[in-house]
Amino acid sequence: MDVQVRAEDRDRLARFLGWFSIGLGTAELAAPRALCRLVGAADDGLAPQVMRLMGLREVAQGGGILMRPRPTTWMWSRVAGDALDLALLGATAATHRRKRTAFAIANVLAVTVPDVYESRFLSSKKGPARAGKLIRKAVSIHRSRDEVEQAWNGASELRRKVEDAGASVRFGDAPGDRGTELVVEFLYAPPAGEIGAAVQKLTGRDLATQLADDLRRFKQQTETGQVVRSEGTPDGHLLAEHLKQRAARPLEEAVR
Amino acid sequence: MKATCWMGRNTVEVENVPDPKILNERDAIVRITSTAICGSDLHLVDGYVPTMKRGDIMGHEFMGEVVETGSGVPNLDVGDRVVVPFPISCGSCWSCRHELFSLCENSNPNARLAEKMFGFPTAGIFGYSHLTGGFAGGQAEYARVPFADVGPIKIENGIDDEAVLFLSDILPTGYMGAEFCEIKGGEVVAVWGAGPVGQFAAASAKMLGAERVIVIDRFDYRLRIARQNLDVETLDYELVDSVPEALKELTGGRGPDACIDAVGMEAHHHGPAYAYDRVKQAMRQETERPIALREAIMSCRNGGIVSVIGVYGGLMDKFPIGAVMNRGLTIRSGQCHVQRYMRPLLQRILEGDIDPTFIVTHKIPLAEAPRGYELFKHKRDDCLKVVLKP
């Protein structure tokens, strides 16, 4: 059987550069004078205004890269932006604190390399852009297929969530004596691309994360008859709670 | 109740905390009669195991009397005397059904955290960071025992606590380390570390038929305890230039057939390699000071077995993979699958094959736990094993 995988055209490097743009642009918009000093330009007169403009440009480019399924044009616009940055810094270098400006130029050059690389990479892609990626979450449950399917039918809340997301559910016999494999697959293409994905993650509506928790709990429930609780994680496995652990000591009040 | 709590790096305090309650139907509450400080607790105190939280109750070696059971614990009654194994195991997943109890697939409610660190999650462990579930530990007056229908073993006769307490961890851990060595009779086994686990690994290797066992450490009193109680040879590594060289000459130029690392992530040594790892570890550039492991690999005979039961937490530097690959070594390791060994080892104790009490050097009240940690950590007063009495 051919293993189905599908990744987005907007790969890891593009995502990194997109977020980098937004980060840098936000800094330029919020603190133009400080950044002017950092690159060795004057922090009064026209320079801070130009800095703010460049910030606006960076944020727009970042948004474009993170939202388009195949952000080839937006990536090339970063390369053009780098050239503009270098020209502006070159003009600055003749006038003010040269060491700082030289350092800034080195930094721009350092990011120009991946910008050009990624732009060329995206340009080389043919055919329609692939938006969204196939997300697959699988779990093995040490029970017969009948038992697992029965348990799944009983897990109405989880089933409804999966159906609402248009996800497919497959049951298969695991090799050897390993029980049953449960596989949930869906195409993840949130509105506004990577920005939408970030919003979903922050608001806890990210289905991949939820499914990872849900399948773990479904396995616990099916194999052991309970959701495992510890003093540090009294509500059982929930990724969102992982960073908000209580101390591992008995609670003042019983949970649930 | 009173409980020994981790209050930050190098700080252990006995605090008043709420009594534990049943959270699941397969839980039991145990009133603890004896509990011990483990070498791996020192890794927590020294701050080398991540995800500890201020206020965590420590301890994973404990036994006591059942005072309450959930509705799903038909095998235990109030009043039963039990030893509790340190891995928390559900008994029904594939790993548990294959006696890989420390790899239970269900008992770690922080599985994702462990997955990020190790690739796949491992079982929950009492009092051993949030990476292993965030379970309250057993250096306390009471403890909640999840899956009490699977783990705890009943002690039916009047045998002393100290004779059976170590079934909770270190005796099975040492035994598993020796079992990994595939001893068939006539082997030479070297054991790094004469701490409690090293002592039991050496004892087990002998019990399983090794012809010679060589125990390596730098504390004379620990080596003396090994010589006096076990039929073993000892090597003080501070008296030789190179442990692999010394072992080679002690074994007819072959090297030991199997090498057991019962030291783990905080090894000591003299020389530049130690300084290198000490600095990198202190700067959190690696989690291990793996001097013992490197030595075990370099010492082992061609085609031999390296058994790793000392605890490691993350990443190490300068791992001699070339020696492992080219010389055909086998590395076996794991947190002990305690439940697998409790019954057979209890039988061995009852039959007099092994008396684990020889390692106990200090019995002190639970309230003095911080002093116990000091004694054990700094090897003061010839300390080898501290048992706390709540």
Side-chain angles (χ1 to χ4, degrees), chain B residues 3-335:
Chain B
T4 310
C5 297
W6 189 91
M7 301 303 285
R9 225 178 340 149
N10 288 319
T11 315
V12 173
E13 281 166 22
V14 176
E15 295 227 311
N16 278 313
V17 303
D19 287 346
K21 297 178 186 75
I22 301 260
L23 296 182
N24 273 322
E25 58 187 24
R26 290 170 71 183
D27 293 352
I29 306 288
V30 171
R31 182 180 64 80
I32 294 161
T33 54
S34 291
T35 171
I37 303 175
C38 180
S40 54
D41 290 330
L42 296 180
H43 302 318
L44 304 178
V45 171
D46 295 344
Y48 291 118
V49 176
T51 74
M52 287 297 287
K53 264 193 94 78
R54 188 182 152 86
D56 285 352
I57 300 178
M58 303 188 60
H60 55 266
E61 299 179 3
F62 61 97
M63 62 179 295
E65 187 193 313
V66 176
V67 292
E68 193 184 347
T69 57
S71 58
V73 191
N75 54 319
L76 296 181
D77 292 311
V78 169
D80 282 348
R81 191 174 171 225
V82 292
V83 178
V84 179
F86 81 81
I88 299 169
S89 313
C90 76
S92 37
C93 64
W94 185 88
S95 299
C96 284
R97 292 277 167 90
H98 289 76
E99 298 197 315
L100 300 167
F101 294 101
S102 73
L103 303 173
C104 174
E105 297 159 29
N106 289 315
S107 64
N108 186 349
N110 295 334
R112 184 68 183 154
L113 212 61
E115 207 169 64
K116 280 283 171 202
M117 190 86 173
F118 299 139
F120 286 93
T122 55
I125 297 178
F126 293 100
Y128 202 70
S129 89
H130 291 252
L131 206 58
T132 58
F135 288 95
Q139 285 164 13
E141 289 181 292
Y142 295 89
R144 177 180 74 99
V145 178
F147 299 120
D149 55 325
V150 178
I153 181 175
K154 270 196 254 189
I155 306 296
E156 313 261 7
N157 53 29
I159 192 165
D160 282 348
D161 272 15
E162 285 74 30
V164 290
L165 170 62
F166 306 129
L167 287 171
S168 58
D169 175 354
I170 53 175
L171 179 56
T173 296
Y175 185 86
M176 188 174 88
E179 198 185 61
F180 280 161
C181 298
E182 289 176 9
I183 296 164
K184 297 177 179 72
E187 286 84 355
V188 183
V189 176
V191 181
W192 273 254
V197 170
Q199 302 272 354
F200 286 149
S204 303
K206 270 283 172 186
M207 206 156 66
L208 290 170
E211 187 156 320
R212 290 174 65 198
V213 172
I214 304 170
V215 179
I216 304 149
D217 205 299
R218 67 182 163 138
F219 291 100
D220 192 49
Y221 75 91
R222 293 188 164 195
L223 295 175
R224 199 173 58 236
I225 291 172
R227 282 195 306 272
Q228 282 169 355
N229 294 279
L230 315 166
D231 179 20
V232 299
E233 301 155 59
T234 60
L235 175 65
D236 180 339
Y237 67 76
E238 292 197 334
L239 301 182
V240 297
D241 285 335
S242 152
V243 171
E245 284 297 322
L247 284 173
K248 189 192 279 183
E249 304 314 329
L250 283 169
T251 54
R254 301 182 309 273
D257 299 289
C259 294
I260 301 176
D261 170 3
V263 176
M265 65 201 293
E266 290 187 75
H268 288 87
H269 206 273
H270 47 98
Y274 174 73
Y276 171 84
D277 287 309
R278 187 77 189 82
V279 168
K280 286 210 76 167
Q281 191 186 38
M283 292 170 65
R284 300 298 189 271
Q285 297 296 300
E286 64 174 338
T287 47
E288 332 292 353
R289 290 199 312 256
I291 297 116
L293 178 55
R294 288 194 200 110
E295 279 182 358
I297 290 170
M298 295 311 285
S299 304
C300 196
R301 76 149 160 84
N302 282 359
I305 294 172
V306 177
S307 160
V308 186
I309 47 174
V311 173
Y312 291 90
L315 305 168
M316 75 174 270
D317 263 22
K318 310 282 180 287
F319 180 77
I321 185 65
V324 174
M325 189 274 155
N326 290 289
R327 303 203 293 109
L329 304 182
T330 300
I331 297 182
R332 307 186 70 181
S333 65
Q335 289 280 7

Side-chain angles (χ1 to χ4, degrees), chain A residues 5 8 19 62 67 70 88-89 95 99 103 106 123 136 138 142 146 180-181 216 223 225 240:
Chain A
V5 289
E8 291 172 296
W19 285 116
M67 284 157 76
R70 185 188 288 163
L88 288 169
L89 286 167
T95 61
K99 267 192 186 160
F103 184 68
S123 292
R136 175 183 295 132
H142 196 46
D146 280 351
T180 306
E181 290 175 6
R216 230 183 267 279
E223 287 184 345

Side-chain angles (χ1 to χ4, degrees), chain A residues 98-122:
Chain A
R98 281 153 184 248
K99 267 192 186 160
R100 287 187 177 196
T101 309
F103 184 68
I105 288 175
N107 274 298
V108 174
L109 285 173
V111 78
T112 306
V113 176
D115 280 341
V116 172
Y117 174 86
E118 183 66 13
S119 299
R120 288 172 55 98
F121 177 71
L122 289 177

